[in-house]
Amino acid sequence: MQTTRDYILIYSDGACSGNPGPGGWGSVLLFPDNQVLELGAGEASTTNNRMEMTAALEALRAVAHLKMPIHFYTDSTYLIRGITQWIFGWRRKNWQTAEGGEVSNRDLWEDISQVVAARGAQGKIEWLYSRGHVGTPGNERCDRIAVAFSKKEYVQLYRGDLEHYGIDLLNVPTNTALPEMKGAGEKKKEAFSYLSNLGGLVYRHRNWPSCQKRVSGQSGAKFKKAMSAAEEVEILKSWGLGPGTEIKEG
């Protein structure tokens, strides 16, 4: 049985091929009365960060008239840190970075800031980190919308009741803590593997595109990123599978 909430739930994501290059963005909004609204569009030449920011801006504009709390999930640490931390220093320095250069994407930062400020205390936004490509349904749907628009592919945007949506938007991340910022020159830690599960048949993939190819469009598909062999075992347990489960190489 669906329950009502006293807040709006939003997911957003952006995608770009080339960075800069053709890009797209997608947002999914769940209102307290369990109505779902999908938004999305593309741009011929843009960047990944601009698409992440545009997705957030358009979602917030769509609910500007509703003065209630928002739980906002995004996999962009740039967006979260920018709107909750960095923007205050940028303003004090007249939109200059610590190195004296111009702040990138100032136009979008100002637009998002204005929309956020106009919400007031009643419309407070809780910015929550949702790690990408780990199987969070709302995040994955936004990613599919964004990627489709970046490739100029047709995507049907949904508007209607959650009951008929087919995506569990209430399955939200349990850990929303921002990852630690990398030091100068420090490389991002690569995943140990990506696991996909279709009907109990588990495959191990060495990269996300391979995993995505197997699960994309497959009803009931499960997939998660593992950072170690031990984490693979924990993922299997979360799927109700034992440590002796056969894992095929994808």
Side-chain angles (χ1 to χ4, degrees):
M1 181 178 178
Q2 295 178 10
T3 59
T4 57
R5 294 158 303 285
D6 59 357
Y7 60 89
I8 301 167
L9 179 62
I10 298 178
Y11 297 88
S12 74
D13 198 14
C16 192
S17 178
N19 207 29
W25 61 270
S27 299
V28 177
L29 297 77
L30 177 61
F31 296 89
D33 61 355
N34 289 318
Q35 290 298 300
V36 177
L37 174 64
E38 291 188 341
L39 304 171
E43 290 188 19
S45 181
T46 186
T47 67
N48 186 71
N49 282 337
R50 288 191 68 84
M51 290 294 90
E52 295 278 7
M53 296 173 70
T54 299
L57 176 60
E58 295 303 325
L60 293 177
R61 282 174 171 169
V63 296
H65 61 294
L66 298 173
K67 296 300 187 283
M68 62 178 63
I70 293 176
H71 291 189
F72 201 118
Y73 289 90
T74 172
D75 60 12
S76 173
T77 58
Y78 174 74
L79 172 62
I80 296 177
R81 287 196 169 98
I83 198 61
T84 64
Q85 302 173 24
W86 301 336
I87 195 169
F88 307 106
W90 291 336
R91 284 187 185 135
R92 287 195 300 269
K93 297 176 181 177
N94 195 26
W95 292 95
Q96 299 289 308
T97 65
E99 294 76 25
E102 293 186 3
V103 172
S104 299
N105 307 312
R106 174 179 173 178
D107 57 332
L108 289 175
W109 285 123
E110 290 189 302
D111 287 345
I112 294 174
S113 178
Q114 290 173 5
V115 173
V116 170
R119 296 196 61 78
Q122 288 184 316
K124 183 179 179 181
I125 302 171
E126 187 174 356
W127 296 94
L128 301 163
Y129 177 65
S130 176
R131 193 172 72 171
H133 308 312
V134 295
T136 302
N139 175 266
E140 297 298 336
R141 175 56 182 166
C142 289
D143 177 70
R144 285 193 287 273
I145 294 172
V147 170
F149 274 109
S150 74
K151 296 180 178 179
K152 296 183 179 180
E153 296 175 351
Y154 173 76
V155 55
Q156 183 171 350
L157 298 176
Y158 182 84
R159 183 169 190 164
D161 195 273
L162 177 62
E163 183 179 358
H164 303 106
Y165 186 46
I167 297 173
D168 186 8
L169 296 179
L170 297 177
N171 181 2
V172 299
T174 55
N175 180 9
T176 59
L178 282 172
E180 292 184 10
M181 294 185 65
K182 298 188 293 292
E186 184 179 348
K187 293 183 178 180
K188 181 179 179 181
K189 186 177 180 181
E190 294 184 359
F192 177 78
S193 68
Y194 294 83
L195 296 183
S196 64
N197 179 356
L198 282 178
L201 183 59
V202 179
Y203 273 72
R204 177 187 291 113
H205 310 268
R206 294 305 177 186
N207 55 60
W208 166 241
S210 173
C211 180
Q212 184 180 37
K213 184 177 180 180
R214 183 174 188 239
V215 302
S216 181
Q218 298 294 324
S219 178
K222 299 178 181 179
F223 49 97
K224 279 196 173 183
K225 177 168 65 175
M227 301 306 293
S228 66
E231 190 170 353
E232 281 191 345
V233 174
E234 293 303 314
I235 292 171
L236 292 175
K237 287 181 180 179
S238 72
W239 289 342
L241 302 172
T245 300
E246 180 184 5
I247 302 179
K248 296 182 178 294
E249 297 297 326

